[in-house]
Amino acid sequence: VARRSSSGKESLTPAEAHLCSLGLSDEQMAKVSARFGVASSCDVERKVKPILSWLADLGLTDLQIQQAVIGSPRLFCYSLDHKLKPVVQWLSEIGMSDAQVLKVVARRPQIFHLSLESNLKPFVHWLSEIGMSGAQVAKAIATCPPLWGLSLSSNFMPKVQLLREAGFSGAQIASSLTVFPALLTLSSKRLAHRLSVLQVQGVLTETSMRTCMVMSDAKFANYEARFDYKK
């Protein structure tokens, strides 16, 4: 972040000055500097400029580059050839379109913090195992990039098990996660309770599930009360 000398003039490191040239506001620069101190320590010629140039070559707009930098300044800590490029290449290999890849990089640059072999590949393999096609997997993770940061064993697997116990087939689960991948970001408590209510009332379908899961707690409480009123 911009610092002020005793004379009151801003004194920027080369890295900070270069990031300021992207059009980042003082507030945005403060966020960048607060996250890991990357902005003031990375070498401009060896790290900052090559990575920014690569992001532009990928097709990211100036705004998307700003989003990526603000979202994860740690980008500049990684090797371009051994970390960043391999992840982007893999995203294309699993069937994501260029537009989908750009969306993930801009909206969820934290994907680069994850291990390709230990995190990313096992997650996509699991999605395939539960019945999702390559196109469905690509659409789901492009639509909801935050999925990357969640645990496979303690988050995804228990939630899919809840869907199975509610009576959904593998094909229905795959379809639901393609259309509404954010389902996996909901709390298990919320998912289990609302599935139970819909199931007990005999109105559980893929559509009713998706509709109810996005309701606020207050709105769902009113929805639930309608069934109690009819008893």
Side-chain angles (χ1 to χ4, degrees):
V1 68
R3 296 182 295 275
R4 294 183 181 277
S5 66
S6 58
S7 64
K9 294 181 180 180
E10 291 183 339
S11 177
L12 301 177
T13 66
E16 289 171 337
H18 195 75
L19 291 179
C20 279
S21 71
L22 296 177
L24 297 176
S25 67
D26 289 344
E27 182 181 358
Q28 291 170 326
M29 277 300 303
K31 290 181 180 179
V32 169
S33 219
R35 294 170 177 169
F36 321 111
V38 172
S40 61
S41 62
C42 287
D43 185 278
V44 174
E45 298 300 327
R46 295 176 54 194
K47 285 286 189 178
V48 179
K49 284 186 178 180
I51 290 175
L52 290 175
S53 178
W54 173 70
L55 292 173
D57 289 342
L58 281 178
L60 269 72
T61 65
D62 290 345
L63 179 58
Q64 287 176 318
I65 291 176
Q66 288 182 6
Q67 289 176 326
V69 170
I70 295 168
S72 181
R74 283 176 60 187
L75 282 174
F76 301 115
C77 292
Y78 297 122
S79 165
L80 182 55
D81 292 326
H82 298 102
K83 179 68 172 179
L84 305 183
K85 288 183 178 179
V87 170
V88 167
Q89 180 180 345
W90 176 76
L91 290 175
S92 297
E93 290 173 354
I94 64 173
M96 296 183 71
S97 66
D98 291 345
Q100 288 174 325
V101 171
L102 296 182
K103 185 176 183 179
V104 169
V105 172
R107 290 182 54 192
R108 198 67 178 180
Q110 295 86 351
I111 188 175
F112 295 112
H113 304 341
L114 303 174
S115 165
L116 190 56
E117 297 300 328
S118 301
N119 303 112
L120 302 180
K121 288 184 178 180
F123 173 55
V124 169
H125 178 69
W126 175 76
L127 290 177
S128 300
E129 281 193 326
I130 65 173
M132 296 181 72
S133 67
Q136 287 177 318
V137 170
K139 181 178 179 180
I141 58 181
T143 301
C144 189
L147 289 177
W148 293 115
L150 301 177
S151 168
L152 184 58
S153 59
S154 63
N155 192 301
F156 298 140
M157 290 181 176
K159 290 174 183 176
V160 167
Q161 184 59 32
L162 285 174
L163 295 175
R164 287 172 174 154
E165 291 173 356
F168 288 108
S169 67
Q172 288 174 319
I173 292 173
S175 173
S176 292
L177 295 183
T178 302
V179 176
F180 183 43
L183 180 70
L184 293 175
T185 68
L186 304 177
S187 71
S188 295
K189 181 179 179 180
R190 180 191 186 109
L191 182 61
H193 173 66
R194 298 191 180 191
L195 285 174
S196 177
V197 170
L198 294 174
Q199 196 169 20
V200 168
Q201 299 302 328
V203 294
L204 179 60
T205 65
E206 288 182 69
T207 300
S208 66
M209 175 185 65
R210 293 195 295 267
T211 299
C212 288
M213 290 304 167
V214 298
M215 289 181 180
S216 65
D217 289 341
K219 187 171 183 179
F220 185 76
N222 289 333
Y223 177 81
E224 188 176 1
R226 287 165 45 198
F227 295 116
D228 294 333
Y229 177 76
K230 292 176 181 179
K231 289 181 180 179

